[in-house]
Amino acid sequence: MTEVIVLPDPAAVAVAAADRVVAAVRAAPRGVLGVATGSTPLGTYAELGARHAAGEDFSGLDVVLLDEYIGLPVGDPQRYLEVIRRELADRIGLPHSRVHAPDVDATDVDSACAAYERTIAALGGVDLQILGLGADGHVAFNMPGTQPDSRTRRTALSEQTVRDNARFFGDRPDRVPRSVVTQGLGTIREARSLLMLVAGAHKADALEGLLARTGDLEAPGTALLDHPDLVVLADRAAARSAPR
Ligand code: GLP
């Protein structure tokens, strides 16, 4: 079932998302949290840091990444592993050893993708998966056209995503890696609960395309709509057309 909750602004989205993460962690203190990058979840991660500072215990968690760039040097601040260590793990008192990402430095990236699927399975699967939504409708790095049953794999970014993500690379599209590893839509669907965060007027078309439920491969998120527990937290600007 898909539930769409419309909130006044991005700050309210962050608080509501943090509430849900905290509830999930209290229910399963040794559980697995799936995390997204991009700018939308950053407020949620800051809020989780504040909850930790106020006494919330996240120390039993494992955290798994959705996706990662290929080709950035180890330790590069824009590598998603670094982003999640800095923006989330360090704030909630989680050792870096509990943050899991695909091995994009492997000589055989295809085998590393299969190994990442095994890592997630060995952890017991993802309990709660935080997701964003790209302006072109992409989910993780599953670009428009992705098959609903896709698995973790190497893929290429769309030109729009390269342009969108250039803001993290000094507004230089030429510095954005073109090649990435992403969990597939079929992989993401296996998480027990999905929590998608959408904020800003620039996401309104993408959210509208998702909720139109056309099953259109151009809106990859529609592959998630038949998930038994998908909650979309959207701010008013993004939810222009959402039911309320
Ligand atoms: C990147 C990530 C996605 C994320 C998207 C949206 O492409 N791979 O997981 O959902 O950005 O980012 P933002 O929240 O900055 O709009």
Side-chain angles (χ1 to χ4, degrees), residues 37-41 66-67 80 132-134 138 140-141 161 165 167 203:
T37 48
S39 42
T40 311
L66 273 178
D67 48 11
Y80 284 167
L133 184 66
H138 73 261
F141 273 140
T161 301
N165 288 5
R167 67 190 192 282
K203 298 292 178 68

Side-chain angles (χ1 to χ4, degrees), residues 118-242:
R118 289 195 297 275
T119 298
I120 295 170
L123 290 169
V126 174
D127 291 298
L128 175 64
Q129 176 64 59
I130 296 174
L131 298 167
L133 184 66
D136 62 356
H138 73 261
V139 174
F141 273 140
N142 293 289
M143 297 293 128
T146 302
Q147 293 297 325
D149 59 354
S150 50
R151 307 299 306 184
T152 302
R153 68 200 184 285
R154 178 205 289 252
T155 187
L157 296 188
S158 65
E159 274 313 306
Q160 177 169 350
T161 301
V162 169
R163 284 195 301 275
D164 286 351
N165 288 5
R167 67 190 192 282
F168 295 112
F169 293 86
D171 284 326
R172 293 273 306 269
D174 57 304
R175 290 193 178 154
V176 181
R178 265 40 184 188
S179 199
V180 296
V181 166
T182 185
Q183 285 190 37
L185 294 168
T187 318
I188 293 168
R189 281 154 61 107
E190 289 170 3
R192 284 178 270 280
S193 299
L194 302 177
L195 182 62
M196 180 180 280
L197 314 181
V198 193
H202 62 300
K203 298 292 178 68
D205 287 347
L207 185 57
E208 193 173 346
L210 172 74
L211 297 176
R213 296 170 180 275
T214 55
D216 185 349
L217 291 187
E218 289 308 300
T222 57
L224 307 176
L225 291 177
D226 61 357
H227 191 283
D229 183 14
L230 165 64
V231 174
V232 180
L233 300 180
D235 76 348
R236 244 180 233 131
R240 185 180 71 192
S241 63

Side-chain angles (χ1 to χ4, degrees), residues 19-134:
D19 285 346
R20 284 170 182 267
V21 173
V22 165
V25 174
R26 285 182 182 174
R30 305 189 70 78
V32 177
L33 178 67
V35 293
T37 48
S39 42
T40 311
L42 294 180
T44 300
Y45 300 152
E47 179 65 23
L48 289 171
R51 306 284 175 102
H52 176 61
E56 205 65 47
D57 180 14
F58 297 98
S59 64
L61 273 186
D62 279 282
V63 165
V64 300
L65 270 69
L66 273 178
D67 48 11
E68 182 60 283
Y69 291 117
I70 297 176
L72 294 178
V74 172
D76 186 289
Q78 292 310 326
R79 268 175 88 124
Y80 284 167
L81 180 59
E82 293 301 321
V83 171
I84 293 299
R85 285 173 169 174
R86 182 174 71 233
E87 300 288 342
L88 182 63
D90 292 349
R91 289 172 164 170
I92 63 170
L94 200 67
H96 290 179
S97 59
R98 303 285 282 285
V99 182
H100 308 273
D103 179 10
V104 288
D105 305 312
T107 38
D108 182 351
V109 172
D110 294 340
S111 297
C113 291
Y116 192 53
E117 293 255 351
R118 289 195 297 275
T119 298
I120 295 170
L123 290 169
V126 174
D127 291 298
L128 175 64
Q129 176 64 59
I130 296 174
L131 298 167
L133 184 66

